């Protein structure tokens, strides 16, 4: 697929009169820090971030594991068995690697928050809400469920929060929930008191999925869910042979 932002630009024009912010403002604020899109009908400022670098590629992950193992007094050679799925990493090691792997998500959130604040100020009273949409195009560090909840936790740490909803989607990454069927996700998380944004964001996600399916000449089976299953929590990207060391199931 071509650059996901280019595809999203075309989709936005088809949904609820969405516009790029510079188009909405007739180019007046086309420079400087700003978010990507605005939906005037609901007053939603939306920033799109794309995860294009795989934080879990074998070389990077092995180096991070070795450093974390040494940091906590373990033999760095254990990284081989961990990556082969023969043993699990010590809890402190896994947490340290997870923190490092989360840097891309953390930085995306912080930057998006600043962009939404800047655009909201320029839009004035027309801007009522802010949302971050993260498109996972090649990052196997976190699956969709863990990425959404990692971002939600990081959002609570922001001193001047402007993000009322976070959505993680996987337009080019298929996941396996254990049944071998390729699955993609649209996973929203809402700030407390902003759950009503789901009335806009969830139909928005359905329209996006249908738009992508049309481009691919595909007919997906779309299943809305209200509860997260264990299979979704531990879904793994298809075609990625690395053990999912950060998303292992808890021991009984």
């Amino acid at each position: 697929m071509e650059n996901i932002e280019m595809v999203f630009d075309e989709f936005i024009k088809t949904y609820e009169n969405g516009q790029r912010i510079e188009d909405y403002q007739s180019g007046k604020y086309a420079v400087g820090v700003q978010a990507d899109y605005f939906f005037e009908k609901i007053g939603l400022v939306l920033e799109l971030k794309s995860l294009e670098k795989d934080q879990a590629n074998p070389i990077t992950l092995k180096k991070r594991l070795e450093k974390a193992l040494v940091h906590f007094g373990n033999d760095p050679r254990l990284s081989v068995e961990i990556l082969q799925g023969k043993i699990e990493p010590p809890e402190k090691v896994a947490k340290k690697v997870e923190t490092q792997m989360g840097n891309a998500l953390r930085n995306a959130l912080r930057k998006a928050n600043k962009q939404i604040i800047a655009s909201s100020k320029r839009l004035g009273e027309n801007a009522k809400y802010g949302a971050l949409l993260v498109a996972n195009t090649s990052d196997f560090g976190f699956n969709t469920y863990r990425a959404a909840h990692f971002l939600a936790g990081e959002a609570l740490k922001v001193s001047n929060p402007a993000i009322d909803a976070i959505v993680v989607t996987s337009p080019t990454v298929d996941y396996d929930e254990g049944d071998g069927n390729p699955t993609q996700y649209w996973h929203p998380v809402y700030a407390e008191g902003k759950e009503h944004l789901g009335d806009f964001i969830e139909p928005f996600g359905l329209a996006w999925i249908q738009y992508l399916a049309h481009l691919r000449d595909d007919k997906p089976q779309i299943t809305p869910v209200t509860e997260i299953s264990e299979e979704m929590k531990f879904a793994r990207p298809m075609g990625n042979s690395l053990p999912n060391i950060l998303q292992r199931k808890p021991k009984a």
Side-chain angles (χ1 to χ4, degrees):
M1 180 182 290
E2 58 188 305
N3 181 283
I4 196 67
E5 187 167 340
M6 294 173 62
V7 179
F8 203 74
D9 278 355
E10 294 303 310
F11 163 69
I12 284 291
K13 298 172 185 177
T14 72
Y15 192 80
E16 295 290 351
N17 297 316
Q19 292 180 276
R20 288 200 66 92
I21 285 182
E22 59 261 37
D23 295 336
Y24 178 80
Q25 293 281 9
S26 300
K28 184 178 180 181
Y29 299 117
V31 295
V33 177
Q34 66 176 357
D36 291 320
Y37 308 102
F38 184 58
F39 295 88
E40 185 176 23
K41 181 178 179 180
I42 189 177
L44 179 69
V45 178
L46 176 68
E47 172 62 18
L48 171 65
K49 296 295 185 187
S50 179
L51 302 180
E52 298 177 348
K53 181 179 179 182
D54 183 10
Q55 299 296 315
N57 73 73
I59 296 175
T60 300
L61 185 53
K62 187 173 186 294
K63 288 180 179 178
R64 285 177 174 168
L65 268 173
E66 290 173 344
K67 288 182 179 180
L69 285 164
V70 170
H71 180 79
F72 290 108
N74 298 285
D75 188 338
R77 290 174 294 183
L78 291 175
S79 64
V80 176
E81 292 183 275
I82 293 172
L83 288 173
Q84 290 174 344
K86 294 181 179 179
I87 62 172
E88 292 186 355
E91 185 176 347
K92 289 183 179 180
V93 170
K95 188 173 182 180
K96 186 173 180 65
V97 174
E98 179 183 58
T99 298
Q100 293 174 332
M101 290 173 68
N103 284 339
L105 288 169
R106 188 180 298 108
N107 293 337
L109 176 88
R110 292 174 179 174
K111 185 175 181 180
N113 195 70
K114 292 178 181 179
Q115 291 170 294
I116 290 170
I117 288 173
S119 291
S120 296
K121 286 181 179 178
R122 291 166 178 169
L123 291 165
E125 62 182 15
N126 290 332
K128 298 178 176 65
Y129 307 106
L132 167 62
L133 173 60
V134 176
N136 182 358
T137 59
S138 59
D139 187 354
F140 298 130
F142 293 81
N143 68 12
T144 309
Y145 167 80
R146 284 188 60 83
H149 287 269
F150 180 89
L151 286 165
E154 289 299 312
L156 295 175
K157 302 174 186 178
V158 176
S159 58
N160 187 18
I163 298 175
D164 301 300
I166 297 170
V167 178
V168 180
T169 186
S170 56
T172 61
V173 181
D174 291 327
Y175 286 87
D176 181 4
E177 293 185 359
D179 56 9
N181 293 321
T183 304
Q184 297 183 355
Y185 301 97
W186 175 272
H187 189 134
V189 181
Y190 305 103
E192 185 176 358
K194 301 299 172 62
E195 294 85 358
H196 63 279
L197 288 175
D199 294 339
F200 178 85
I201 287 174
E202 286 154 34
F204 179 46
L206 176 60
W208 167 241
I209 292 168
Q210 292 172 332
Y211 183 84
L212 285 180
H214 176 72
L215 293 181
R216 297 166 174 160
D217 195 24
D218 191 12
K219 295 182 179 179
Q221 178 181 339
I222 301 171
T223 307
V225 296
T226 56
E227 294 184 2
I228 306 299
S229 68
E230 289 297 298
E231 289 76 17
M232 290 176 64
K233 289 181 181 180
F234 298 101
R236 295 178 56 175
M238 300 184 78
N240 177 19
S241 60
L242 285 174
N244 207 339
I245 66 165
L246 302 179
Q247 297 166 131
R248 59 198 189 283
K249 295 184 179 181
K251 295 178 181 178

